[in-house]
Amino acid sequence: MPRSKKTRLRYRVAVLGSGSWATAIIKIISSNLEHIHWWVRSPEAAEEIAKYGHNPKYLSSVFINPEEVKVNTDIKAVVSKADYVIIVTPSAYLHKSLEPLKRSQLNKKKIILAVKGIVPETMQLISDYMQTQFGVPLENLSIISGPSHAEEIAQEKFTFLTAASTNLELAETVAKFFTNRYCRTSVTNDMMGAEMAIVLKNIYALGAGIYSGLGYGDNFIAAYVANCLKEMKHFVSAVYPNEARHISDSVYLGDLLVTAYSTYSRNRLFGIMIGHGLSVRVSLLELRMVSEGYTACRCVHEFNKKYLVNIPIVETIYGILYENNNVSSEMKRIAEHFV
């Protein structure tokens, strides 16, 4: 059950972003928090939410109490009213969205990243970007991750989340924000590993969609996902060594599985269109949503030039998306090396 108004936590929290996941996050934290401010870019959407309590474009079935969640199109005003800022703007648009903000407006806040991907303008993980661009100390950064799909949150289906931060006290506070009747949230200090795994799983889900579009069956795709997990572990361990990491945890394996298999997965759907023979450009237009895996693939390719880790699945998908390599022959070639 939601907390009563008297027992709600009095942390002042801002949410930046107005898509499906942002709407789902508003739904979750509304059951726990007393002070929520929501930045919505579109004036039309903000007016609809304030007037009727529903996001007109995303998860419109979710009711948002406009008396409890204050909606505003002024990002500076929203941030100024909060001590904790949850960033849910897609990574492809993050740099532009945060452009109006000065370092001094964010560098003393606690930042919770619910963003998946890498900032394309700077080729940085979101946590690195927040440190270098806004001066946010590492100990003030955390992430919230799945396995989770916004559509199931809207239906209040039982979901496991993970709050990650190098500052365990912050991770535990974030877990309180995201724990309710249908969400159970655990904590980890492996923030960098979890963040990179989030980036990779979107790329691998895109690949699962390509194989599905090409006509490969469940037996093969299960083997493909197992090999993706192996590659993920190899890459994350090479870039961010951590002996305490368990790749079988839900923040790694679980999030990979749900993104690779779920019908709600945008990345999987995008891959299916590629597998069916549509061009990358047409597939992006047909999707009508952000495919984080598409941008992430280019970013990881560039990011890995520093580390030179062997990640053949990612590089194969990169070649298809950005170098116009033949889809069928390339995916068949890489499959020959699976175990």
Side-chain angles (χ1 to χ4, degrees):
M1 293 290 292
R3 293 171 182 260
S4 67
K5 198 160 187 178
K6 289 183 179 180
T7 62
R8 288 186 186 178
L9 305 172
R10 295 188 176 181
Y11 298 94
R12 301 190 313 153
V13 175
V15 177
L16 309 183
S18 55
S20 296
W21 186 217
T23 307
I25 282 175
I26 290 288
K27 176 177 172 61
I28 297 167
I29 67 175
S30 293
S31 62
N32 292 321
L33 298 172
E34 187 173 335
H35 304 289
I36 302 172
H37 299 272
W38 190 9
W39 175 65
V40 175
R41 179 191 297 277
S42 163
E44 293 78 16
E47 183 180 355
E48 186 95 358
I49 294 165
K51 200 170 184 179
Y52 301 110
H54 295 276
N55 187 337
K57 288 189 175 180
Y58 303 98
L59 301 188
S60 56
S61 65
V62 171
F63 175 70
I64 299 131
N65 190 333
E67 293 183 4
E68 297 178 356
V69 178
K70 305 303 180 183
V71 181
N72 199 322
T73 57
D74 185 341
I75 192 170
K76 292 180 181 179
V78 168
V79 168
S80 71
K81 293 172 182 175
D83 301 310
Y84 293 79
V85 179
I86 305 175
I87 299 178
V88 205
T89 305
S91 58
Y93 311 129
L94 183 67
H95 183 73
K96 187 171 180 58
S97 295
L98 299 186
E99 227 171 17
L101 299 172
K102 298 177 181 177
R103 285 171 70 94
S104 59
Q105 292 172 294
L106 279 180
N107 62 11
K108 291 184 173 59
K109 310 285 187 183
K110 302 290 194 304
I111 307 295
I112 303 163
L113 302 175
V115 191
K116 304 167 183 177
I118 294 176
V119 181
E121 289 87 348
T122 63
M123 293 297 171
Q124 291 175 293
L125 287 171
I126 313 295
S127 60
D128 292 332
Y129 177 82
M130 297 306 299
Q131 290 176 77
T132 58
Q133 298 293 316
F134 291 97
V136 180
L138 183 61
E139 61 269 21
N140 284 357
L141 287 166
S142 64
I143 67 170
I144 190 76
S145 182
S148 58
H149 278 302
E151 293 83 357
E152 291 195 359
I153 297 292
Q155 299 171 53
E156 299 188 357
K157 292 188 176 182
F158 194 46
T159 298
F160 285 86
L161 301 172
T162 299
S165 176
T166 58
N167 176 356
L168 274 179
E169 184 179 350
L170 175 57
E172 287 165 0
T173 299
V174 173
K176 291 177 185 176
F177 296 174
F178 284 86
T179 297
N180 63 15
R181 176 175 55 80
Y182 52 88
C183 286
R184 181 180 298 170
T185 306
S186 59
V187 301
T188 178
N189 64 0
D190 185 24
M191 186 179 83
M192 304 309 293
E195 187 178 16
M196 181 55 78
I198 291 169
V199 175
L200 291 169
K201 59 99 175 182
N202 287 325
I203 303 170
Y204 296 139
L206 202 161
I210 293 175
Y211 276 124
S212 181
L214 287 169
Y216 288 75
D218 292 344
N219 295 345
F220 173 83
I221 292 174
Y224 162 75
V225 171
N227 280 269
C228 288
L229 184 68
K230 183 180 176 182
E231 183 173 292
M232 176 190 287
K233 181 179 180 180
H234 175 59
F235 186 72
V236 171
S237 297
V239 177
Y240 301 112
N242 186 332
E243 292 182 1
R245 179 182 299 123
H246 296 287
I247 205 74
S248 60
D249 287 352
S250 63
V251 70
Y252 302 104
L253 175 59
D255 209 8
L256 171 61
L257 289 173
V258 76
T259 312
Y261 284 108
S262 176
T263 55
Y264 293 125
S265 172
R266 300 190 292 262
N267 294 290
R268 184 177 185 275
L269 177 58
F270 177 68
I272 288 172
M273 287 190 266
I274 298 293
H276 282 162
L278 296 181
S279 69
V280 171
R281 180 176 170 277
V282 170
S283 297
L284 288 170
L285 289 172
E286 286 290 324
L287 191 64
R288 297 177 185 171
M289 295 183 288
V290 175
S291 169
E292 296 282 8
Y294 171 68
T295 306
C297 198
R298 179 175 67 88
C299 293
V300 171
H301 171 80
E302 295 296 327
F303 183 88
N304 193 38
K305 288 180 178 178
K306 176 181 176 181
Y307 297 96
L308 300 177
V309 181
N310 185 31
I311 45 173
I313 298 173
V314 170
E315 291 300 338
T316 298
I317 296 170
Y318 172 83
I320 289 169
L321 298 180
Y322 290 95
E323 296 177 345
N324 203 30
N325 290 346
N326 183 270
V327 178
S328 180
S329 62
E330 282 296 285
M331 297 304 276
K332 184 177 181 181
R333 176 187 60 78
I334 196 64
E336 293 173 0
H337 300 280
F338 294 166
V339 293

